[in-house]
């Protein structure tokens, strides 16, 4: 006796189909595949592919990556010397093992040792894109913008929580903001909450990681210690990456 699926209603059979049901184009394609194959596994696989794309798009929209850096990824990060080659490989390794780093709270610091335009932000955004494609909620923020937004916030605890709780936080240009007791306390709060929760933070800094101590004064040692307890370091102190990219 031939085995038959007891119900032929795809809406009943597949939760993934129900999830894409309101997208007419994708629904019609799924319906067509079902009529041709009656293979629920294939329909689920088809729907899941688009659900993943939708999720990636949502995460990217929420990531706060601005227009200048939205298309920065590993494929268009150019290497010019041993410094950029090594830096890119460390960043790729970090991105490929993002779930292990999420589990162990492994931070990443990309330092410039006083050099500007070395590709630090490009690498950080490349990791962000990779993490988002793997389904990791990620937030990217330039520290100057973060402090500016914080000062205008009507709910400072909620603002801090939004950065402290995200699975992967990328703080760009840490140490470049004008310091004050308020700034030091805020940066410390965010870093400390993430430290206690053992969730990773990626930091780019124009200077050396060691300069955090002096920049944040009495909070500097605590900030540096919490980051350094479990971190990977990338040093990008070569020539100006932006100018090199024009050659």
């Amino acid at each position: 006796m031939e085995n038959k699926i007891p119900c032929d209603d795809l809406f009943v059979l597949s939760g993934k189909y129900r999830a894409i049901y309101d997208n007419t184009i994708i629904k019609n394609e799924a319906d067509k595949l079902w009529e041709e194959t009656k293979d629920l596994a294939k329909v689920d696989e088809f729907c899941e592919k688009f659900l993943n794309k939708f999720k990636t798009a949502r995460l990217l929209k929420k990531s706060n990556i601005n227009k200048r850096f939205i298309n920065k990824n590993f494929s268009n990060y150019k290497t010019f010397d041993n410094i950029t080659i090594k830096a890119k490989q460390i960043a790729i390794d970090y991105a490929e093992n993002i779930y292990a780093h999420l589990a162990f709270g492994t931070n990443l610091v990309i330092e410039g040792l006083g050099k500007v335009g070395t590709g630090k932000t490009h690498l950080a955004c490349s990791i962000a894109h990779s993490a988002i494609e793997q389904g990791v909620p990620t937030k990217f923020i330039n520290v100057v913008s973060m402090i500016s937004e914080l000062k205008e916030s009507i709910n400072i605890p909620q603002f801090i929580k939004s950065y402290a709780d995200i699975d992967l936080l990328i703080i760009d240009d840490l140490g470049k903001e004008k310091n004050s007791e308020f700034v030091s306390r805020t940066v410390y709060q965010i870093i400390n909450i993430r430290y206690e929760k053992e969730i990773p933070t990626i930091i780019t800094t124009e200077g050396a990681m060691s300069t955090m101590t002096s920049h944040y004064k009495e909070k500097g040692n605590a900030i540096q210690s919490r980051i350094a307890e479990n971190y990977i370091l990338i040093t990008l102190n070569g020539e100006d990456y932006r100018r090199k990219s024009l050659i």
Side-chain angles (χ1 to χ4, degrees):
M1 186 176 180
E2 185 180 351
N3 291 324
K4 292 185 178 180
I5 298 176
C7 175
D8 196 43
D9 188 339
L10 195 53
F11 190 87
V12 175
L13 293 171
S14 174
K16 292 172 183 176
Y17 175 80
R18 292 193 294 274
I20 59 92
Y21 191 81
D22 290 334
N23 187 306
T24 305
I25 295 174
I26 306 304
K27 174 189 173 297
N28 289 342
E29 288 294 319
D31 288 339
K32 182 179 177 182
L33 180 62
W34 177 242
E35 290 302 318
E36 291 175 352
T37 67
K38 295 299 180 182
D39 189 327
L40 187 59
K42 284 186 177 181
V43 174
D44 277 345
E45 183 181 353
F46 172 83
C47 294
E48 184 174 19
K49 181 175 70 173
F50 285 96
L51 287 171
N52 287 338
K53 285 185 177 181
F54 299 152
K55 182 179 180 181
T56 297
R58 285 197 302 270
L59 289 175
L60 187 60
K61 188 175 181 179
K62 292 179 179 179
S63 70
N64 209 39
I65 299 175
N66 60 36
K67 186 177 179 180
R68 180 171 294 278
F69 298 111
I70 199 70
N71 293 315
K72 301 296 186 183
N73 52 55
F74 288 124
S75 65
N76 55 34
Y77 180 87
K78 297 179 181 179
T79 56
F80 308 106
D81 50 28
N82 288 335
I83 293 173
T84 50
I85 291 170
K86 182 179 179 181
K88 183 177 182 179
Q89 190 54 57
I90 294 173
I92 289 173
D93 289 344
Y94 187 93
E96 289 179 345
N97 293 284
I98 190 62
Y99 278 100
H101 297 313
L102 288 171
F104 293 104
T106 310
N107 302 310
L108 177 71
V109 176
I110 308 175
E111 62 176 12
L113 300 185
K115 297 289 186 72
V116 300
T118 55
K120 300 181 297 294
T121 303
H122 190 149
L123 270 188
C125 287
S126 299
I127 296 172
H129 279 289
S130 178
I132 288 168
E133 287 170 3
Q134 295 177 71
V136 178
T138 301
K139 185 165 284 190
F140 175 95
I141 188 69
N142 179 279
V143 70
V144 176
S145 299
M146 182 177 77
I147 297 302
S148 177
E149 290 175 18
L150 176 62
K151 288 178 178 178
E152 296 176 1
S153 174
I154 60 174
N155 189 338
I156 290 178
Q158 183 58 41
F159 183 93
I160 291 174
K161 180 177 168 59
S162 71
Y163 287 100
D165 288 351
I166 193 75
D167 289 24
L168 181 64
L169 175 65
I170 300 173
I171 306 177
D172 190 37
D173 274 339
L174 189 68
K176 207 166 185 177
E177 76 285 8
K178 184 178 180 180
N179 192 30
S180 66
E181 183 180 346
F182 172 76
V183 169
S184 292
R185 186 172 65 250
T186 300
V187 172
Y188 170 76
Q189 278 184 278
I190 292 172
I191 296 297
N192 186 59
I193 292 171
R194 298 183 66 78
Y195 168 77
E196 291 179 348
K197 291 186 174 185
E198 295 187 310
I199 46 180
T201 305
I202 295 175
I203 290 168
T204 79
T205 179
E206 187 177 299
M209 186 180 168
S210 57
T211 61
M212 289 181 197
T213 303
S214 57
H215 182 75
Y216 294 108
K217 299 178 181 178
E218 70 277 3
K219 293 292 186 184
N221 282 324
I223 292 170
Q224 186 187 58
S225 175
R226 280 156 177 73
I227 294 168
E229 183 172 308
N230 181 18
Y231 84 115
I232 294 169
L233 179 65
I234 294 176
T235 300
L236 272 172
N237 60 337
E239 297 181 54
D240 190 315
Y241 177 85
R242 288 188 284 266
R243 291 182 181 177
K244 275 280 193 180
S245 296
L246 296 175
I247 298 174

